[in-house]
Amino acid sequence: MTAMTLHRWRALLVALAVSASAIAAPAPPFQPMFDQARQHYALPGLAMAVVEDGQVVYQHTAGERRIGTGEAIDENTLFKIASNSKAMTAALLARLVDRGALRWDDPVIRYLPQFRMHDPWVTEHMQVRDLLIHNSGLGLGAGDLMLWPEPNAFTRQDIIAGLAHLKPVTSFRSGYAYDNLMYVVAGEVAARAGGKPYDQLLREEVFVPLGMQRCQVGAWSVAAVGNVAQPHARRDGRTVVTQPDADTSPDLASMAAGGIRCSLRDMTRWMQVLLDPAQVPGWLSDAQRRALWTAHMPMPIGARQRQWDNAHFAAYGYGWRLSDLDGQWKVAHTGTLSGMYSSLALLPDRRVGVVLLINGDAEDARTALMQAALRHYTAPDDSKGVLDYARLLRDEQQQRRDSGHVRPDTRARTPASLQGTAAWQGRYRDPWLGPARVCPHNGQLRFQLEKSPQLQGTVMQLGARWLVQWDTLGADAEPWLQPQPGTPPTLALRAIDPDIDFSYDYQDLQFTRIGDCP
């Protein structure tokens, strides 16, 4: 056999081997998952990426930034990542700890002397680390109405001042209750320790060194940056844009807790660096990386987590939820804002990460798609897919309805009588949410919160009860309006929907009448 003939045989054998390998290799599972989630839940837009061993093994986007415009979502489209911002705030603080600018066990009042909790002892003993792990003793989502709905006129100084008026529901450090306000405080601690505004520090310490080029924080021009996904909601059976951006995105008071926007490419880069320190050597010390993913506060394990994940532990780290999934370590977080959902999950021991960004009402879609994607790694022999998890979620919801856990039917409402409500019309004030009015306007009784333009609506009557029909928010956010006897008169708000988002913390409000309508 000549050398030329031998070379041809070798080339043929190599080609056959490559062809056989390609035939035998299983098709990537993520595209069918992506398509099923988007179609089943009629999502306006979806972006997804998967990282393995530092490499992007899957990345796909579909849908529109604003439904009906044809403006396609791509890997550079900006989404609100909501509470996935918390991990970035924690990383910023970790960088400052590495630098010696602060310590995790420093008292908060060392950096913010004006900081006050309802209990003076808690004020004195609250440490920087406590701001990140949801152990303040406040109730679930306490004070969130100073953050959302956006935009509003509350400042970070207003939020810090309002904390003193929020009464705890448990003792300090005794249990877990998710809280956003403490992350706002954490952002201000970072600014004081770092000597620069939070948004500038985050760009310098996180976005720039990690190459997250499209992420936005602070005030920025939506028009100039461009390619920005808008939030969507279901209204009367249709998907519509809700709370769209103006030309400029303001310097949101909530940014350290949930106000950052990033693209799929940015979030993919974020995952790569978190999973592999060699991607950006020296960005965080090993000690601070461990601190972020240490179980600092135990969390309850829900029935779904036990059944779906076979979970044995759950805890909160610094900006991350920690748990086990089929016996494998999971580090994850979700992000939820009106019309925007995100999810990021890491399996550090496998060097795997998955991120989802959605610009619509998509809690179930996010849950089903992420579960199917992760269990491709942790339980490859399990045949459940996106549609199977969707059915399980529907079954859960039906069980809640069967048990009577449903929103009351309020469709028979009518505008409240001005004459019948005359005794409690006037100007009111809540200690932390501020001034409000319950006053006639154009023949109707209107509820208006001074610092939150979206918390405005018409007072309606249903039998012997009153409720507020918001002008721009959906029915799922409506509260009962309950006049309280006494002098001066007071008003309370209570959620109508038992499954209302916990950020509508109406139960913490108590409006006291301070004067007549203007």
Side-chain angles (χ1 to χ4, degrees):
M1 184 179 293
T2 66
M4 181 62 71
T5 303
L6 182 61
H7 175 75
R8 287 174 177 167
W9 272 105
R10 285 175 176 168
L12 178 59
L13 289 171
V14 169
L16 289 172
V18 170
S19 177
S21 174
I23 292 171
F30 302 112
Q31 192 60 48
M33 296 178 190
F34 182 104
D35 293 337
Q36 288 173 356
R38 182 158 183 262
Q39 293 165 12
H40 182 76
Y41 290 103
L43 302 176
L46 172 61
M48 177 178 177
V50 181
V51 169
E52 291 181 19
D53 290 323
Q55 302 300 312
V56 181
V57 298
Y58 177 77
Q59 179 176 282
H60 194 66
T61 63
E64 298 173 294
R65 304 195 295 265
R66 182 191 291 258
I67 198 163
T69 64
E71 298 172 344
I73 288 171
D74 60 31
E75 64 179 8
N76 292 312
T77 301
L78 291 179
F79 288 79
K80 297 178 181 180
I81 66 170
S83 285
N84 270 299
S85 305
K86 290 179 170 65
M88 297 181 186
T89 296
L92 170 58
L93 287 166
R95 289 269 290 179
L96 295 173
V97 172
D98 265 344
R99 190 183 300 164
L102 61 76
R103 297 182 304 174
W104 291 119
D105 58 359
D106 282 340
V108 173
I109 54 176
R110 176 174 298 176
Y111 303 96
L112 303 175
Q114 74 276 28
F115 174 78
R116 295 287 184 276
M117 296 294 286
H118 192 267
D119 183 330
W121 190 93
V122 177
T123 300
E124 183 180 352
H125 289 86
M126 180 81 73
Q127 297 176 355
V128 174
R129 63 185 301 275
D130 293 310
L131 299 174
L132 304 184
I133 58 177
H134 309 295
N135 68 353
S136 67
L138 296 177
L140 180 64
D144 274 2
L145 285 169
M146 289 188 283
L147 301 179
W148 296 289
E150 295 172 336
N152 60 50
F154 289 97
T155 66
R156 287 179 283 281
Q157 291 70 36
D158 290 333
I159 290 165
I160 293 173
L163 283 168
H165 302 287
L166 291 168
K167 297 179 181 179
V169 298
T170 65
S171 59
F172 182 38
R173 296 179 181 152
S174 66
Y176 171 90
Y178 194 82
D179 183 276
N180 287 296
L181 299 195
M182 293 304 164
Y183 270 82
V184 176
V185 179
E188 292 304 283
V189 167
R192 189 65 59 88
K196 298 176 183 178
Y198 169 87
D199 58 311
Q200 182 179 345
L201 279 174
L202 195 67
R203 285 189 290 269
E204 293 177 358
E205 301 292 338
V206 179
F207 298 162
V208 171
L210 271 54
M212 299 164 67
Q213 299 176 354
R214 288 274 294 166
C215 288
Q216 300 293 326
V217 66
W220 54 282
S221 170
V222 176
V225 171
N227 196 357
V228 180
Q230 298 302 304
H232 294 76
R234 297 289 292 177
R235 296 284 187 266
D236 300 322
R238 298 170 53 244
T239 297
V240 298
V241 175
T242 178
Q243 303 172 35
D245 286 312
D247 286 344
T248 299
S249 180
D251 181 1
L252 298 171
S254 65
M255 60 183 169
I260 297 170
R261 298 202 212 189
C262 291
S263 69
L264 182 65
R265 176 180 287 179
D266 294 323
M267 297 302 286
T268 303
R269 180 61 178 160
W270 176 233
M271 290 195 300
Q272 289 175 308
V273 176
L274 291 169
L275 290 167
D276 181 8
Q279 295 269 347
V280 185
W283 176 65
L284 272 185
S285 67
D286 290 343
Q288 293 315 311
R289 282 181 172 272
R290 286 194 300 271
L292 295 178
W293 291 353
T294 292
H296 296 288
M297 171 53 58
M299 294 173 59
I301 302 176
R304 182 197 298 168
Q305 195 173 7
R306 289 191 185 278
Q307 294 165 7
W308 289 20
D309 295 2
N310 189 29
H312 299 84
F313 92 97
Y316 208 88
Y318 291 157
W320 293 98
R321 296 185 184 112
L322 315 173
S323 63
D324 61 324
L325 171 61
D326 297 317
Q328 299 188 36
W329 184 26
K330 175 184 171 185
V331 177
H333 216 288
T334 56
T336 304
L337 281 170
S338 179
M340 283 273 184
Y341 282 72
S342 68
S343 184
L344 189 152
L346 308 171
L347 302 173
D349 291 340
R350 299 188 66 116
R351 293 162 57 89
V352 163
V354 181
V355 64
L356 311 173
L357 302 171
I358 308 171
N359 63 331
D361 282 338
E363 182 172 3
D364 287 358
R366 172 181 69 186
T367 300
L369 179 53
M370 181 58 82
Q371 189 73 10
L374 291 178
R375 299 203 82 216
H376 164 68
Y377 293 101
T378 65
D381 295 331
D382 191 317
S383 61
K384 290 191 190 71
V386 169
L387 298 183
D388 297 298
Y389 289 115
R391 282 191 289 271
L392 290 173
L393 289 168
R394 283 200 305 271
D395 290 345
E396 284 183 11
Q397 293 157 7
Q398 185 60 52
Q399 290 171 6
R400 289 174 67 83
R401 288 191 291 270
D402 291 345
S403 66
H405 199 84
V406 295
R407 185 184 190 279
D409 186 350
T410 61
R411 288 174 295 179
R413 66 184 69 181
T414 57
S417 160
L418 294 181
Q419 182 177 0
T421 58
W424 46 271
Q425 293 175 19
R427 293 181 295 112
Y428 287 79
R429 184 177 187 86
D430 176 78
W432 58 271
L433 202 59
R437 292 181 182 180
V438 184
C439 294
H441 181 73
N442 291 337
Q444 293 183 326
L445 188 60
R446 298 280 295 169
F447 179 97
Q448 297 176 292
L449 192 72
E450 183 175 294
K451 287 193 172 185
S452 192
Q454 293 194 60
L455 292 180
Q456 299 189 20
T458 301
V459 178
M460 309 293 286
Q461 187 163 0
L462 181 68
R465 305 187 73 176
W466 290 271
L467 62 89
V468 181
Q469 179 175 292
W470 301 122
D471 295 341
T472 59
L473 302 177
D476 56 350
E478 291 176 345
W480 297 114
L481 182 62
Q482 299 177 341
Q484 308 290 309
T487 304
T490 59
L491 295 174
L493 299 182
R494 294 293 183 268
I496 296 175
D497 191 334
D499 291 324
I500 195 169
D501 189 292
F502 65 74
S503 287
Y504 293 107
D505 53 323
Y506 299 133
Q507 70 280 356
D508 295 327
L509 298 172
Q510 189 73 20
F511 291 96
T512 300
R513 193 176 187 276
I514 58 174
D516 296 332
C517 291

